[in-house]
Amino acid sequence: MFQAILRKEFLKIKYIYIALIILFITALLYLYISTLQSFTKIEPHSMLWYQAVHIGNIYYDVLKFLPSFAAFVLALAQFLPEIHKKKFRIPLHLPINQNKMVFLYLSVGLLLLSLINSILLLSLYFISCIFYPSLIAISSIQTALPWVLASFVVYTFCVAIMIEPYFKRKFFLCVLMIMIVSLFFLNDKYQGYNNLYAFLGLLLVLSLFMPLLSLYRFKNGHYSLLKEKSFIPKLSFFVFLILFLTSFSFFLPFNTKALSKNIDLATYVFYSAPKKQFMYKQHLGYHHFLYGNDKGEKLSLKEYEKALPFIYWRNLDIQKKLPIVVDGISYDKKTIKKARQSFKFSYNNVNENINQVSLYPLFNPSSKKGVISFPNLMFNLDKDFSIYDSQDNTKNLKLSKKYTLALKNKGFTFPAKIIAGKTTNMKPLDEGYFVLDNKDKLFHFKRYDDELFIKNIAYDSKIKIKQIKISESRKKEFYGLIIDESNKAYVLMYKNYNLIKLPLKYYDSNTMKLEIYANAINKLIRYKDEKYVYAVAFDKNFSYLDEFKVNIPQVSSLYQTFFDYAYTFNIKKNPHKSYEEYSFEIGSKKAFILSLSLSLLYLLLFRKEKKEKRVLKSLFLLFTGLYGVIILAVV
Amino acid sequence: MKKAKYLKQNAVILKMENVIEVKNLSHAYGKKKLYDNLNFSVKKGQIVGLLGKNGVGKTSLINILMGFLKPLGGECLIFGENSSSLSENTRKRIGLLHEGHQTFEFMTIEQIEKFYAPFYEKWRKDIYYELMDLLALPKTHKISNMSYGQRSQVVLGLIFAQNPDLLVLDDYSMGLDAGYRRLFLDYLHDFVKSEQKTVFVTSHVVQDLEHLIDEIILLNKGGEILKTNLDDLLSNFKSYTLDFTLPSDLKIREIERLVKSDVIRNIEVSKNSLRLYSYENEQEVLKNLQASHTVFAQLNNANINRKEINLEDAFIGLMGRY
């Protein structure tokens, strides 16, 4: 019987399927030709590798919606002839279990979709392998996998929408499909869903129940499921509710938060070297600013700018007030400019992104050239010091062997845990990379005039390094910042590779961004949470001077109030990660008050409804609040 | 164990006389009531025609019987099983013709036979191809390229090849010309005659059913039914004509309303004559007509003539023209 259905379905959709194969081949050819053109135009080729790995340029995004489009067309080709004049009754009358029959139909569609998607993924891999190292090719498959998984969800939902007999429910299934499928496209980074394949797979499995629910409704109309004795329709309806609640509890709070963020107000804190005070500037909205200092005094704009000569030095220069004298030392324009340095460190620092392809440009500055040219070679430190030559997309075995040996001779153990460096050539000088090996030894290596310099850095073994951020500066005072497992921050100094522990009481590297500002006299470190901006002032050598915190003005946001009352629970996307990470969050007490009120209101208002139904619905409202109201209104 | 279960099942089937049983069936679309407490049954071997005007719920009834619509009240049993959850074995015993001779049009004559065959153990390929031979088309001919009549032939062939115990035919005559209707009926007649098959049929061409059906179910708006034996109906139900010109100041609708009663079941008013339908004799009909309005007071026995009645006349007599 399966063969008969397989044959029948294939007869029905063969021309459409062939057209889809042609479309896929055309898209893949386009991908091949456009990639070839890029590699012909751009030199060195490693620049394209860099763009893929470090800029996040997805060179195959022409394929992004192709599987979903194919799924939509396939579902249409397969089921449109069935629902036309309700012909779906013909197969349903055949002597075979009706749920099994629908699954057989779905199996055919999913099988054909799998086949075409496999062709797509394999071709993407092979095309990538022509131009890119296999690391990037494998990553491209992992990045494209959610697009393919989404296509199966599109297929099952389109089938459910077509079988569903009532327009209103068709519409809501459409909305549900858009929400669920969006979850597969939210992240446009490389391997952005690496930790979520199980979740996406679960959504796919749950979506398989939607055609079964539509089948039940096709057969029985609006018949209440409460009276239904069969298990599968009840289970399908339960899954339908789960999917609705999942997507609502993600998208509604997500969008409310996004709206409320638009009116976030900024506060800036600086340290005044002449006054030895912290100065702050608060934005109160509508371009209204408040200026003050750490003594609680309110300042005028003029007083504020005057206290910060190393920030507003350009004004002083125009007003011919330079040089300035602080503590008896004169600072002219050149000194001020030269001393300025800023350094920013973010929670989604490159090292923390566990998903990123581990491939880095191997800079090789020449003592005879004024600029750092982008290298042909890129490296990886997994099994060994693998060096890839982008000009012919091969591994440079000789150099790989040489450098692997050089690292091993210095006591390096593969694979590397962290590789940190500034991967662009748009920098004043190259300090190469700081690498944490597999035994937590810290190394510094750089290539210069074809020679590899390697240094094993001794540091306190109690420090468990979690993140490293490097940023080269001509001042050559510090290489960058190191964060350990217990959230302590250290500055990695040029002098003897010293690690200076920074006294940052409230700093959390997982959620906060950190900024270092340097001028001719001081260093200032600034970080903030939702309520305060924290600032710590140091002297030139990172010796602690003072610290200060100032609140960020909180405007009573209508959206935030709505958020607090409306959502009994929500699925929260971690905004501090570049990859997708979700967590379940129970709402505030205010939200519970609302859901309790809604629940009681339902009991009071719908007294004509049967008791069993009424109690069930009010309990549903108690647990789901606003989501429940929407679901009851549409279901 | 399996054999014992099989024998037990068959024993139940043999004992059971009713192939279709409709019990207290109620259904409505919104406020529009289709049936209210509808009851009837179809016995094994009977050929029953369900007749009713457009929109009275003939197709809905078939949908309920075949499990494609859940009724609001009551239940329907097919071979003793609730129609909303017919088992595979029961569906195997039912040859169902969907309204409009629906089938998989993207298939050819040969492909569709190969598709259906594995689902039915008693599949009769020979019956199917016997009907297909009449079409004089190659086996590779696509159904979508066929005329309505030719397509009906394919559908009929598929249903007969299933060799079902019950045939449910929803408006088989839709879209067919007289020739194909006759062909369809002839084959159906021969098929059901050879074995004790049960047929439940609806059609909007009432006349065709006269030579096919044993029992008739007339379905009226609101779910009122009349179930009767066809021979009884044709011999007891009568049609009378009267030469009479209705005064121009009288409205036809008003006259119809006044004349219709338990005795005169229906009246058709035309320019110079009246046609009356009744189970009663001339005298009784005339008496009722005279009593209904003063304009009929002068009519006498000489004016009234009894006419031969056929199924179509009976249908209009009982259900009305509009």
Side-chain angles (χ1 to χ4, degrees):
Chain A
M1 280 187 279
F2 178 68
Q3 272 185 343
I5 290 168
L6 188 74
R7 204 182 308 123
K8 171 185 145 307
E9 289 305 287
F10 188 71
L11 283 172
K12 186 165 59 181
I13 56 178
K14 61 183 174 187
Y15 295 117
I16 295 284
Y17 194 63
I18 290 166
L20 284 175
I21 290 174
I22 293 168
L23 177 72
F24 271 49
I25 291 170
T26 312
L28 287 164
L29 272 175
Y30 173 80
L31 173 67
Y32 173 76
I33 292 165
S34 61
T35 315
L36 183 66
Q37 278 178 342
S38 302
F39 273 81
T40 315
K41 278 184 210 159
I42 295 172
E43 287 284 346
H45 293 164
S46 54
M47 184 52 83
L48 288 158
W49 293 9
Y50 164 78
Q51 282 176 4
V53 176
H54 296 278
I55 306 289
N57 174 27
I58 297 177
Y59 56 92
Y60 43 91
D61 65 356
V62 64
L63 308 177
K64 198 170 187 176
F65 298 107
L66 207 59
S68 292
F69 175 74
F72 170 72
V73 172
L74 207 58
L76 229 59
Q78 212 183 339
F79 282 87
L80 211 56
E82 303 284 340
I83 55 154
H84 178 62
K85 293 183 183 170
K86 295 197 172 178
K87 275 189 194 160
F88 198 46
R89 286 170 183 168
I90 304 175
L92 290 182
H93 184 69
L94 290 171
I96 177 170
N97 180 294
Q98 290 170 336
N99 289 328
K100 195 175 164 187
M101 165 65 75
V102 170
F103 259 120
L104 285 177
Y105 267 64
L106 288 177
S107 307
V108 175
L110 292 173
L111 199 73
L112 291 174
L113 200 57
S114 304
L115 195 68
I116 202 168
N117 280 335
S118 305
I119 293 171
L120 188 84
L121 288 181
L122 281 174
S123 307
L124 171 62
Y125 177 75
F126 288 120
I127 291 172
S128 297
C129 279
I130 297 170
F131 302 102
Y132 294 92
S134 58
L135 279 171
I136 298 179
I138 292 166
S139 170
S140 69
I141 301 294
Q142 286 170 303
T143 309
L145 197 58
W147 308 345
V148 165
L149 290 176
S151 73
F152 295 115
V153 178
V154 169
Y155 174 78
T156 51
F157 264 94
C158 283
V159 171
I161 291 163
M162 280 189 279
I163 300 176
E164 165 62 44
Y166 297 98
F167 180 78
K168 187 177 144 190
R169 184 64 82 88
K170 275 181 196 281
F171 175 75
F172 290 114
L173 277 172
C174 269
V175 173
L176 185 58
M177 177 179 77
I178 291 166
M179 288 195 291
I180 298 284
V181 172
S182 303
L183 287 173
F184 291 73
F185 291 100
L186 280 180
N187 194 302
D188 56 1
K189 307 280 190 309
Y190 269 73
Q191 295 162 252
Y193 287 93
N194 259 21
N195 305 327
L196 281 181
Y197 291 133
F199 174 65
L200 299 185
L202 180 69
L203 287 179
L204 169 59
V205 171
L206 293 181
S207 73
L208 287 171
F209 285 90
M210 293 304 95
L212 293 181
L213 184 63
S214 292
L215 167 70
Y216 176 80
R217 289 170 55 81
F218 181 87
K219 280 193 68 202
N220 300 304
H222 285 302
Y223 196 77
S224 170
L225 274 156
L226 285 176
K227 292 180 197 166
E228 183 56 48
K229 286 172 193 161
S230 322
F231 175 67
I232 288 179
K234 279 193 165 180
L235 178 66
S236 307
F237 184 67
F238 182 69
V239 170
F240 173 72
L241 290 181
I242 294 274
L243 285 176
F244 242 115
L245 283 173
T246 307
S247 46
F248 271 157
S249 60
F250 178 79
F251 281 103
L252 292 181
F254 182 74
N255 287 316
T256 315
K257 275 272 179 203
L259 286 169
S260 93
K261 262 191 183 159
N262 287 342
I263 48 166
D264 253 10
L265 301 177
T267 294
Y268 304 94
V269 181
F270 293 102
Y271 187 71
S272 164
K275 290 191 175 286
K276 312 280 183 290
Q277 277 180 355
F278 286 97
M279 302 284 155
Y280 67 87
K281 173 185 174 183
Q282 285 177 326
H283 183 201
L284 303 177
Y286 306 103
H287 295 280
H288 177 54
F289 293 95
L290 183 74
Y291 304 92
N293 62 20
D294 58 8
K295 303 277 183 289
E297 295 162 348
K298 301 284 174 269
L299 304 172
S300 67
L301 174 61
K302 203 173 170 184
E303 288 167 327
Y304 174 79
E305 288 187 354
K306 195 182 170 190
L308 299 167
F310 294 112
I311 304 291
Y312 297 99
W313 63 272
R314 280 180 200 280
N315 293 351
L316 298 174
D317 186 31
I318 293 164
Q319 293 159 16
K320 307 281 184 209
K321 288 181 181 170
L322 287 180
I324 53 165
V325 178
V326 180
D327 295 338
I329 301 169
S330 173
Y331 299 91
D332 62 7
K333 180 181 170 182
K334 197 178 163 190
T335 318
I336 293 171
K337 262 181 90 174
K338 202 178 163 189
R340 283 168 63 83
Q341 187 187 354
S342 71
F343 175 95
K344 290 181 183 177
F345 180 75
S346 167
Y347 38 76
N348 53 11
N349 182 275
V350 65
N351 302 314
E352 208 220 7
N353 188 343
I354 54 164
N355 304 306
Q356 190 151 9
V357 181
S358 186
L359 201 65
Y360 301 85
L362 186 60
F363 292 104
N364 185 24
S366 165
S367 53
K368 290 171 187 159
K369 285 184 182 174
V371 289
I372 306 165
S373 53
F374 201 84
N376 268 332
L377 305 178
M378 286 184 92
F379 73 93
N380 159 271
L381 297 174
D382 279 346
K383 288 177 189 159
D384 59 1
F385 201 132
S386 301
I387 298 165
Y388 299 92
D389 190 334
S390 66
Q391 288 314 104
D392 52 6
N393 191 19
T394 54
K395 187 173 173 179
N396 185 328
L397 294 171
K398 198 177 158 189
L399 202 60
S400 297
K401 200 175 168 185
K402 187 180 166 187
Y403 283 4
T404 303
L405 199 66
L407 270 185
K408 279 186 177 172
N409 284 341
K410 290 280 180 181
F412 189 90
T413 314
F414 290 97
K417 281 184 178 174
I418 295 173
I419 302 172
K422 206 163 185 178
T423 53
T424 171
N425 61 331
M426 307 298 281
K427 53 187 178 182
L429 66 143
D430 176 55
E431 281 298 351
Y433 294 90
F434 285 80
V435 182
L436 193 70
D437 83 347
N438 201 36
K439 288 187 174 166
D440 293 327
K441 281 188 197 164
L442 186 61
F443 288 84
H444 177 205
F445 75 76
K446 59 182 174 181
R447 199 171 176 226
Y448 189 79
D449 281 342
D450 292 331
E451 286 300 317
L452 190 68
F453 156 86
I454 307 169
K455 170 79 183 167
N456 183 352
I457 303 165
Y459 69 100
D460 186 351
S461 60
K462 285 175 194 160
I463 301 170
K464 302 290 173 207
I465 298 175
K466 188 174 77 173
Q467 290 164 294
I468 307 172
K469 170 78 186 275
I470 300 301
S471 183
E472 293 93 342
S473 161
R474 283 196 200 282
K475 286 175 77 181
K476 293 196 173 184
E477 282 181 359
F478 63 94
Y479 288 109
L481 200 74
I482 287 179
I483 309 291
D484 74 2
E485 296 286 352
S486 55
N487 258 323
K488 302 280 183 301
Y490 303 83
V491 188
L492 178 61
M493 304 300 287
Y494 262 71
K495 197 176 174 184
N496 301 326
Y497 293 101
N498 272 343
L499 283 180
I500 299 174
K501 190 175 172 183
L502 299 169
L504 312 174
K505 283 183 212 161
Y506 308 102
Y507 178 61
D508 177 3
S509 67
N510 294 317
T511 58
M512 298 179 189
K513 288 180 181 176
L514 183 147
E515 296 160 328
I516 303 177
Y517 293 98
N519 61 35
I521 299 174
N522 299 111
K523 302 273 190 299
L524 174 78
I525 294 186
R526 219 162 61 183
Y527 56 97
K528 65 173 182 177
D529 59 22
E530 285 181 356
K531 289 181 178 170
Y532 297 100
V533 176
Y534 306 91
V536 184
F538 301 87
D539 71 2
K540 269 205 291 203
N541 302 314
F542 283 102
S543 294
Y544 175 83
L545 293 176
D546 200 359
E547 65 188 286
F548 174 63
K549 71 171 183 180
V550 62
N551 69 307
I552 302 167
Q554 304 288 320
V555 284
S556 59
S557 157
L558 189 67
Y559 297 112
Q560 187 57 46
T561 314
F562 178 76
F563 186 95
D564 292 342
Y565 275 101
Y567 306 125
T568 40
F569 56 87
N570 72 84
I571 295 172
K572 196 178 163 190
K573 177 180 155 63
N574 189 341
H576 308 301
K577 304 281 183 193
S578 59
Y579 53 88
E580 291 300 289
E581 188 180 270
Y582 305 126
S583 57
F584 185 79
E585 200 177 64
I586 301 286
S588 66
K589 282 177 189 167
K590 292 172 186 171
F592 179 70
I593 292 167
L594 180 85
S595 60
L596 184 67
S597 317
L598 286 169
S599 173
L600 293 173
L601 207 65
Y602 193 88
L603 278 176
L604 279 171
L605 290 178
F606 294 86
R607 271 175 292 188
K608 280 183 185 172
E609 211 168 45
K610 279 185 182 170
K611 196 183 169 188
E612 185 197 358
K613 218 173 175 180
R614 193 157 54 112
V615 170
L616 211 63
K617 284 184 179 176
S618 69
L619 275 175
F620 180 66
L621 283 175
L622 183 65
F623 289 110
T624 58
L626 183 76
Y627 309 126
V629 174
I630 300 169
I631 290 169
L632 286 186
V634 303
V635 173
Chain B
M1 187 72 188
K2 238 180 177 178
K3 197 179 171 187
K5 195 180 170 189
Y6 175 73
L7 289 172
K8 198 179 164 190
Q9 265 182 358
N10 273 340
V12 172
I13 291 163
L14 285 172
K15 255 196 273 173
M16 196 174 57
E17 276 239 301
N18 291 333
V19 172
I20 300 174
E21 261 185 290
V22 173
K23 292 178 178 174
N24 308 320
L25 182 71
S26 302
H27 197 65
Y29 291 120
K31 284 180 182 172
K32 190 190 169 194
K33 199 186 278 179
L34 279 187
Y35 329 110
D36 190 14
N37 225 14
L38 187 68
N39 289 281
F40 70 86
S41 59
V42 176
K43 289 187 170 44
K44 190 179 178 187
Q46 274 190 329
I47 303 174
V48 177
L50 174 70
L51 299 179
K53 288 195 282 186
N54 290 338
V56 293
K58 298 190 294 293
T59 297
S60 294
L61 185 58
I62 296 237
N63 284 338
I64 291 170
L65 291 174
M66 294 296 99
F68 296 127
L69 186 65
K70 211 152 194 166
L72 295 177
E75 62 172 357
C76 299
L77 303 177
I78 310 286
F79 293 114
E81 268 183 23
N82 193 310
S83 69
S84 61
S85 53
L86 291 177
S87 67
E88 289 97 83
N89 272 335
T90 300
R91 285 207 298 272
K92 203 179 281 183
R93 299 175 67 193
I94 306 167
L96 173 62
L97 173 79
H98 298 268
E99 190 181 21
H101 301 94
Q102 288 175 4
T103 188
F104 302 119
E105 288 159 19
F106 54 88
M107 291 174 124
T108 63
I109 291 173
E110 191 177 25
Q111 285 166 348
I112 202 160
E113 190 277 328
K114 277 190 179 160
F115 170 69
Y116 271 91
F119 290 97
Y120 299 93
E121 287 115 25
K122 294 193 284 179
W123 186 255
R124 297 279 305 273
K125 191 176 179 177
D126 53 326
I127 295 184
Y128 175 74
Y129 277 111
E130 190 185 317
L131 267 157
M132 291 310 101
D133 288 344
L134 294 176
L135 292 174
L137 290 171
K139 284 179 179 179
T140 51
H141 196 89
K142 220 174 179 182
I143 300 169
S144 59
N145 296 333
M146 290 180 182
S147 71
Y148 219 97
Q150 288 171 324
R151 209 177 307 161
S152 74
Q153 200 85 332
V154 175
V155 178
L156 188 69
L158 292 169
I159 291 172
F160 287 168
Q162 287 173 34
N163 201 7
D165 297 323
L166 167 67
L167 282 101
V168 177
L169 311 172
D170 190 8
D171 207 352
Y172 74 89
S173 52
M174 186 190 264
L176 299 188
D177 62 25
Y180 274 109
R181 285 205 321 266
R182 178 67 62 87
L183 191 70
F184 192 102
L185 286 170
D186 287 347
Y187 262 86
L188 184 63
H189 199 264
D190 291 346
F191 184 73
V192 297
K193 202 174 64 180
S194 57
E195 293 171 63
Q196 218 192 359
K197 306 285 185 192
T198 311
V199 180
F200 190 71
V201 58
T202 73
S203 172
H204 72 278
V205 184
V206 177
Q207 196 71 1
D208 281 354
L209 296 182
E210 195 167 335
H211 305 293
L212 181 74
I213 59 177
D214 313 321
E215 292 270 333
I216 184 168
I217 296 173
L218 291 166
L219 186 61
N220 216 335
K221 267 183 194 167
E224 195 185 309
I225 64 157
L226 173 72
K227 184 169 184 271
T228 175
N229 182 281
L230 183 66
D231 293 337
D232 289 349
L233 178 70
L234 295 181
S235 54
N236 295 329
F237 198 55
K238 302 170 189 78
S239 169
Y240 304 98
T241 56
L242 288 101
D243 294 328
F244 180 79
T245 305
L246 199 70
S248 56
D249 57 331
L250 287 177
K251 286 182 180 167
I252 293 173
R253 289 265 182 194
E254 184 62 15
I255 289 297
E256 281 176 352
R257 193 182 64 78
L258 291 169
V259 171
K260 274 187 192 174
S261 64
D262 285 346
V263 175
I264 302 173
R265 301 297 295 259
N266 211 344
I267 177 170
E268 290 171 19
V269 182
S270 53
K271 207 175 177 184
N272 296 315
S273 68
L274 300 175
R275 189 162 183 172
L276 305 168
Y277 296 93
S278 176
Y279 284 103
E280 305 298 333
N281 59 29
E282 286 96 329
Q283 279 75 24
E284 196 63 28
V285 169
L286 194 60
K287 205 169 100 189
N288 266 270
L289 185 66
Q290 287 164 338
S292 66
H293 197 280
T294 49
V295 294
F296 302 122
Q298 300 306 313
L299 290 171
N300 56 42
N301 278 348
N303 298 98
I304 192 160
N305 296 304
R306 185 172 167 181
K307 288 274 172 191
E308 281 295 310
I309 198 164
N310 59 26
L311 182 58
E312 191 170 291
D313 295 329
F315 177 76
I316 290 173
L318 288 165
M319 313 300 285
R321 282 191 294 189
Y322 39 77

